[in-house]
Amino acid sequence: IAVELDRNLIAPLRAAFKDSGRFLLVEQDALSVDFGALVGLTPARPERLKVIANLPYYISTAILQHLAAQRSVFSELILMFQREVVARITAPPGTSERGYLTVLTERAFGVKKLLDVPPTAFRPAPKVWSSVARLTPRPPLPDDDAFNRLVSAAFSQKRKTIANNLKPAFPKWAEALRSAGIDPKSRAEELSLDEWERLNRAVIAA
């Protein structure tokens, strides 16, 4: 199954695979695809889908969030991004690259960078390097929306402390930070996933 929106690619794809008997082209924006509906359309009818994609770099973040929201229908995703995006989604705590997308991805997937791809691998050659990563979905959780709201608020202004970022959005921010054992003077990029989980539970309980 191919998901493609570019009109310049649809005709060549149909021509290349018209005799295969196993090819289905979905002419749709990947940001609006219900991937769960595609499971039963594959010849082997697997329980979950495997995804291989070179994501359009200008909307790769939005597509990754869309895939994370539907991650229960995937068994594995092999995705190509601009190299800087892979650096962001694999950034450890305490590094400047770590941000909202890092934590969202870390909660939704196990992520492993596989390789870098030079500009010379493309025609025409872009000005940026690319990287390929394997994403292994983690089970969706009932508090995903609450978790995403918390992390989004905490990263709203990266130069500010986590306390200052949480104040406008969560009236009981001080109680939650204290209950989770998080230093109010910390910055969001310093927190590990375990600390985010503790803080999320504390915010919900506050």
Side-chain angles (χ1 to χ4, degrees), residues 82-102:
Q82 187 170 327
R83 185 165 62 177
E84 289 77 8
V85 173
V86 173
R88 285 171 58 200
I89 64 176
T90 58
T95 57
S96 60
E97 292 86 0
R98 190 171 177 84
Y100 167 71
L101 184 65
T102 317

PDB file of all heavy atoms in Angstrom, residues 82-102:
ATOM      1  N   GLN A  82      15.048  14.498   8.123  1.00  0.00           N
ATOM      2  CA  GLN A  82      16.250  15.333   8.108  1.00  0.00           C
ATOM      3  C   GLN A  82      17.068  14.963   9.338  1.00  0.00           C
ATOM      4  O   GLN A  82      16.526  14.678  10.404  1.00  0.00           O
ATOM      5  CB  GLN A  82      15.857  16.807   8.141  1.00  0.00           C
ATOM      6  CG  GLN A  82      17.033  17.754   7.948  1.00  0.00           C
ATOM      7  CD  GLN A  82      16.561  19.190   7.735  1.00  0.00           C
ATOM      8  OE1 GLN A  82      15.507  19.425   7.159  1.00  0.00           O
ATOM      9  NE2 GLN A  82      17.340  20.140   8.222  1.00  0.00           N
ATOM     10  N   ARG A  83      18.385  14.941   9.213  1.00  0.00           N
ATOM     11  CA  ARG A  83      19.236  14.433  10.282  1.00  0.00           C
ATOM     12  C   ARG A  83      19.021  15.157  11.606  1.00  0.00           C
ATOM     13  O   ARG A  83      19.059  14.537  12.680  1.00  0.00           O
ATOM     14  CB  ARG A  83      20.712  14.534   9.863  1.00  0.00           C
ATOM     15  CG  ARG A  83      21.671  13.914  10.861  1.00  0.00           C
ATOM     16  CD  ARG A  83      23.054  13.687  10.281  1.00  0.00           C
ATOM     17  NE  ARG A  83      23.699  14.917   9.874  1.00  0.00           N
ATOM     18  CZ  ARG A  83      24.945  14.978   9.389  1.00  0.00           C
ATOM     19  NH1 ARG A  83      25.637  13.857   9.232  1.00  0.00           N
ATOM     20  NH2 ARG A  83      25.479  16.117   9.031  1.00  0.00           N
ATOM     21  N   GLU A  84      18.746  16.443  11.545  1.00  0.00           N
ATOM     22  CA  GLU A  84      18.531  17.211  12.774  1.00  0.00           C
ATOM     23  C   GLU A  84      17.294  16.748  13.531  1.00  0.00           C
ATOM     24  O   GLU A  84      17.240  16.836  14.763  1.00  0.00           O
ATOM     25  CB  GLU A  84      18.422  18.702  12.451  1.00  0.00           C
ATOM     26  CG  GLU A  84      19.717  19.365  12.030  1.00  0.00           C
ATOM     27  CD  GLU A  84      20.140  19.060  10.600  1.00  0.00           C
ATOM     28  OE1 GLU A  84      19.334  18.430   9.862  1.00  0.00           O
ATOM     29  OE2 GLU A  84      21.261  19.438  10.208  1.00  0.00           O
ATOM     30  N   VAL A  85      16.286  16.253  12.814  1.00  0.00           N
ATOM     31  CA  VAL A  85      15.075  15.774  13.479  1.00  0.00           C
ATOM     32  C   VAL A  85      15.369  14.497  14.260  1.00  0.00           C
ATOM     33  O   VAL A  85      14.903  14.327  15.394  1.00  0.00           O
ATOM     34  CB  VAL A  85      13.941  15.546  12.461  1.00  0.00           C
ATOM     35  CG1 VAL A  85      12.726  14.893  13.129  1.00  0.00           C
ATOM     36  CG2 VAL A  85      13.546  16.868  11.817  1.00  0.00           C
ATOM     37  N   VAL A  86      16.145  13.591  13.682  1.00  0.00           N
ATOM     38  CA  VAL A  86      16.512  12.372  14.404  1.00  0.00           C
ATOM     39  C   VAL A  86      17.352  12.712  15.632  1.00  0.00           C
ATOM     40  O   VAL A  86      17.203  12.091  16.689  1.00  0.00           O
ATOM     41  CB  VAL A  86      17.240  11.382  13.476  1.00  0.00           C
ATOM     42  CG1 VAL A  86      17.771  10.185  14.254  1.00  0.00           C
ATOM     43  CG2 VAL A  86      16.302  10.903  12.377  1.00  0.00           C
ATOM     44  N   ALA A  87      18.224  13.716  15.503  1.00  0.00           N
ATOM     45  CA  ALA A  87      18.988  14.161  16.679  1.00  0.00           C
ATOM     46  C   ALA A  87      18.055  14.663  17.771  1.00  0.00           C
ATOM     47  O   ALA A  87      18.296  14.432  18.961  1.00  0.00           O
ATOM     48  CB  ALA A  87      19.977  15.249  16.273  1.00  0.00           C
ATOM     49  N   ARG A  88      16.968  15.327  17.375  1.00  0.00           N
ATOM     50  CA  ARG A  88      16.006  15.840  18.355  1.00  0.00           C
ATOM     51  C   ARG A  88      15.235  14.719  19.026  1.00  0.00           C
ATOM     52  O   ARG A  88      15.067  14.720  20.245  1.00  0.00           O
ATOM     53  CB  ARG A  88      15.039  16.808  17.687  1.00  0.00           C
ATOM     54  CG  ARG A  88      15.612  18.176  17.378  1.00  0.00           C
ATOM     55  CD  ARG A  88      14.656  18.987  16.533  1.00  0.00           C
ATOM     56  NE  ARG A  88      13.348  19.148  17.176  1.00  0.00           N
ATOM     57  CZ  ARG A  88      12.223  19.468  16.537  1.00  0.00           C
ATOM     58  NH1 ARG A  88      12.248  19.650  15.230  1.00  0.00           N
ATOM     59  NH2 ARG A  88      11.109  19.599  17.198  1.00  0.00           N
ATOM     60  N   ILE A  89      14.733  13.755  18.248  1.00  0.00           N
ATOM     61  CA  ILE A  89      13.871  12.733  18.845  1.00  0.00           C
ATOM     62  C   ILE A  89      14.663  11.691  19.636  1.00  0.00           C
ATOM     63  O   ILE A  89      14.063  10.895  20.366  1.00  0.00           O
ATOM     64  CB  ILE A  89      12.976  12.043  17.800  1.00  0.00           C
ATOM     65  CG1 ILE A  89      13.791  11.262  16.779  1.00  0.00           C
ATOM     66  CG2 ILE A  89      12.066  13.058  17.129  1.00  0.00           C
ATOM     67  CD1 ILE A  89      12.939  10.487  15.766  1.00  0.00           C
ATOM     68  N   THR A  90      15.994  11.713  19.515  1.00  0.00           N
ATOM     69  CA  THR A  90      16.825  10.795  20.309  1.00  0.00           C
ATOM     70  C   THR A  90      17.656  11.528  21.358  1.00  0.00           C
ATOM     71  O   THR A  90      18.496  10.917  22.007  1.00  0.00           O
ATOM     72  CB  THR A  90      17.770   9.996  19.391  1.00  0.00           C
ATOM     73  OG1 THR A  90      18.598  10.893  18.648  1.00  0.00           O
ATOM     74  CG2 THR A  90      16.986   9.110  18.425  1.00  0.00           C
ATOM     75  N   ALA A  91      17.413  12.824  21.547  1.00  0.00           N
ATOM     76  CA  ALA A  91      18.236  13.628  22.461  1.00  0.00           C
ATOM     77  C   ALA A  91      18.025  13.200  23.915  1.00  0.00           C
ATOM     78  O   ALA A  91      16.883  13.118  24.381  1.00  0.00           O
ATOM     79  CB  ALA A  91      17.905  15.106  22.300  1.00  0.00           C
ATOM     80  N   PRO A  92      19.095  12.939  24.664  1.00  0.00           N
ATOM     81  CA  PRO A  92      18.950  12.545  26.072  1.00  0.00           C
ATOM     82  C   PRO A  92      18.654  13.748  26.960  1.00  0.00           C
ATOM     83  O   PRO A  92      18.834  14.904  26.541  1.00  0.00           O
ATOM     84  CB  PRO A  92      20.321  11.943  26.400  1.00  0.00           C
ATOM     85  CG  PRO A  92      21.263  12.642  25.467  1.00  0.00           C
ATOM     86  CD  PRO A  92      20.491  12.896  24.203  1.00  0.00           C
ATOM     87  N   PRO A  93      18.203  13.505  28.189  1.00  0.00           N
ATOM     88  CA  PRO A  93      17.944  14.609  29.116  1.00  0.00           C
ATOM     89  C   PRO A  93      19.189  15.464  29.337  1.00  0.00           C
ATOM     90  O   PRO A  93      20.320  14.958  29.363  1.00  0.00           O
ATOM     91  CB  PRO A  93      17.540  13.889  30.410  1.00  0.00           C
ATOM     92  CG  PRO A  93      17.011  12.573  29.959  1.00  0.00           C
ATOM     93  CD  PRO A  93      17.833  12.196  28.758  1.00  0.00           C
ATOM     94  N   GLY A  94      18.965  16.761  29.456  1.00  0.00           N
ATOM     95  CA  GLY A  94      20.056  17.680  29.731  1.00  0.00           C
ATOM     96  C   GLY A  94      20.729  18.240  28.502  1.00  0.00           C
ATOM     97  O   GLY A  94      21.678  19.020  28.616  1.00  0.00           O
ATOM     98  N   THR A  95      20.244  17.902  27.312  1.00  0.00           N
ATOM     99  CA  THR A  95      20.830  18.423  26.078  1.00  0.00           C
ATOM    100  C   THR A  95      19.896  19.445  25.448  1.00  0.00           C
ATOM    101  O   THR A  95      18.673  19.369  25.604  1.00  0.00           O
ATOM    102  CB  THR A  95      21.113  17.298  25.072  1.00  0.00           C
ATOM    103  OG1 THR A  95      19.900  16.590  24.792  1.00  0.00           O
ATOM    104  CG2 THR A  95      22.136  16.313  25.638  1.00  0.00           C
ATOM    105  N   SER A  96      20.472  20.383  24.716  1.00  0.00           N
ATOM    106  CA  SER A  96      19.675  21.476  24.156  1.00  0.00           C
ATOM    107  C   SER A  96      18.718  20.998  23.065  1.00  0.00           C
ATOM    108  O   SER A  96      17.707  21.646  22.789  1.00  0.00           O
ATOM    109  CB  SER A  96      20.605  22.560  23.597  1.00  0.00           C
ATOM    110  OG  SER A  96      21.442  22.041  22.573  1.00  0.00           O
ATOM    111  N   GLU A  97      19.032  19.869  22.413  1.00  0.00           N
ATOM    112  CA  GLU A  97      18.156  19.365  21.346  1.00  0.00           C
ATOM    113  C   GLU A  97      16.863  18.769  21.889  1.00  0.00           C
ATOM    114  O   GLU A  97      15.889  18.606  21.159  1.00  0.00           O
ATOM    115  CB  GLU A  97      18.882  18.299  20.516  1.00  0.00           C
ATOM    116  CG  GLU A  97      20.039  18.805  19.683  1.00  0.00           C
ATOM    117  CD  GLU A  97      21.337  18.839  20.479  1.00  0.00           C
ATOM    118  OE1 GLU A  97      21.301  18.467  21.684  1.00  0.00           O
ATOM    119  OE2 GLU A  97      22.370  19.236  19.907  1.00  0.00           O
ATOM    120  N   ARG A  98      16.838  18.431  23.161  1.00  0.00           N
ATOM    121  CA  ARG A  98      15.666  17.780  23.743  1.00  0.00           C
ATOM    122  C   ARG A  98      14.518  18.781  23.856  1.00  0.00           C
ATOM    123  O   ARG A  98      14.686  19.890  24.360  1.00  0.00           O
ATOM    124  CB  ARG A  98      16.004  17.220  25.126  1.00  0.00           C
ATOM    125  CG  ARG A  98      14.927  16.303  25.715  1.00  0.00           C
ATOM    126  CD  ARG A  98      15.459  15.645  26.977  1.00  0.00           C
ATOM    127  NE  ARG A  98      14.483  14.811  27.642  1.00  0.00           N
ATOM    128  CZ  ARG A  98      14.208  13.547  27.345  1.00  0.00           C
ATOM    129  NH1 ARG A  98      14.845  12.981  26.333  1.00  0.00           N
ATOM    130  NH2 ARG A  98      13.307  12.844  28.004  1.00  0.00           N
ATOM    131  N   GLY A  99      13.332  18.364  23.364  1.00  0.00           N
ATOM    132  CA  GLY A  99      12.187  19.261  23.400  1.00  0.00           C
ATOM    133  C   GLY A  99      10.888  18.481  23.468  1.00  0.00           C
ATOM    134  O   GLY A  99      10.870  17.273  23.757  1.00  0.00           O
ATOM    135  N   TYR A 100       9.798  19.175  23.173  1.00  0.00           N
ATOM    136  CA  TYR A 100       8.471  18.559  23.237  1.00  0.00           C
ATOM    137  C   TYR A 100       8.394  17.329  22.343  1.00  0.00           C
ATOM    138  O   TYR A 100       7.887  16.273  22.755  1.00  0.00           O
ATOM    139  CB  TYR A 100       7.420  19.595  22.815  1.00  0.00           C
ATOM    140  CG  TYR A 100       6.049  19.021  22.542  1.00  0.00           C
ATOM    141  CD1 TYR A 100       5.257  18.542  23.586  1.00  0.00           C
ATOM    142  CD2 TYR A 100       5.544  18.968  21.249  1.00  0.00           C
ATOM    143  CE1 TYR A 100       4.001  18.011  23.334  1.00  0.00           C
ATOM    144  CE2 TYR A 100       4.288  18.442  20.994  1.00  0.00           C
ATOM    145  CZ  TYR A 100       3.520  17.965  22.042  1.00  0.00           C
ATOM    146  OH  TYR A 100       2.275  17.442  21.791  1.00  0.00           O
ATOM    147  N   LEU A 101       8.901  17.430  21.098  1.00  0.00           N
ATOM    148  CA  LEU A 101       8.840  16.302  20.176  1.00  0.00           C
ATOM    149  C   LEU A 101       9.639  15.113  20.702  1.00  0.00           C
ATOM    150  O   LEU A 101       9.232  13.965  20.519  1.00  0.00           O
ATOM    151  CB  LEU A 101       9.357  16.718  18.798  1.00  0.00           C
ATOM    152  CG  LEU A 101       9.268  15.649  17.703  1.00  0.00           C
ATOM    153  CD1 LEU A 101       7.809  15.315  17.401  1.00  0.00           C
ATOM    154  CD2 LEU A 101       9.982  16.115  16.433  1.00  0.00           C
ATOM    155  N   THR A 102      10.762  15.367  21.368  1.00  0.00           N
ATOM    156  CA  THR A 102      11.578  14.296  21.943  1.00  0.00           C
ATOM    157  C   THR A 102      10.769  13.480  22.929  1.00  0.00           C
ATOM    158  O   THR A 102      10.715  12.248  22.859  1.00  0.00           O
ATOM    159  CB  THR A 102      12.803  14.871  22.674  1.00  0.00           C
ATOM    160  OG1 THR A 102      13.392  15.910  21.916  1.00  0.00           O
ATOM    161  CG2 THR A 102      13.821  13.776  22.961  1.00  0.00           C
TER     162      THR A 102
END
